[in-house]
Amino acid sequence: IRIFIDQGHNPTGNHNAGAAAFGLHEEDITYQVGAYLSDILDSDYRFEVRTSRPTPTTVLGTTNATSLRARVDAANSWPAD
């Protein structure tokens, strides 16, 4: 089963970085949760896993629309189940 995990948001300083409060940044949290989930699923032979942001500095798109399009295109071109 091919699973594509979209961690959402871009790094701080780029479009679509998400919310920030109390020293926390949404893009950091979603990146870490996605990476953690990827590790868990990847340890099970039944799953193939890819993430939308393979590194914390990966930037997808320059607007909300192009960011979302890049994520959908990546999942579909693999193709994810």
Side-chain angles (χ1 to χ4, degrees), residues 1-5 34 36-51 78-81:
I1 299 170
R2 290 180 165 190
I3 299 173
F4 187 84
I5 300 168
Y36 181 67
L37 177 58
S38 176
D39 288 345
I40 291 170
L41 292 172
D42 205 34
S43 69
D44 187 321
Y45 73 93
R46 297 172 296 174
F47 304 115
E48 288 182 65
V49 182
R50 287 194 185 169
T51 59
W78 181 21
D81 291 314

Side-chain angles (χ1 to χ4, degrees), residues 22-64:
F22 307 107
L24 300 173
H25 297 269
E26 190 172 1
E27 77 274 5
D28 296 333
I29 295 168
T30 58
Y31 174 80
Q32 291 298 328
V33 169
Y36 181 67
L37 177 58
S38 176
D39 288 345
I40 291 170
L41 292 172
D42 205 34
S43 69
D44 187 321
Y45 73 93
R46 297 172 296 174
F47 304 115
E48 288 182 65
V49 182
R50 287 194 185 169
T51 59
S52 60
R53 293 178 55 212
T55 70
T57 58
T58 299
V59 177
L60 298 165
T62 56
T63 68
N64 280 345

Side-chain angles (χ1 to χ4, degrees), residues 4-22:
F4 187 84
I5 300 168
D6 179 16
Q7 293 137 304
H9 303 294
N10 281 321
T12 298
N14 296 282
H15 193 74
N16 192 26
F22 307 107

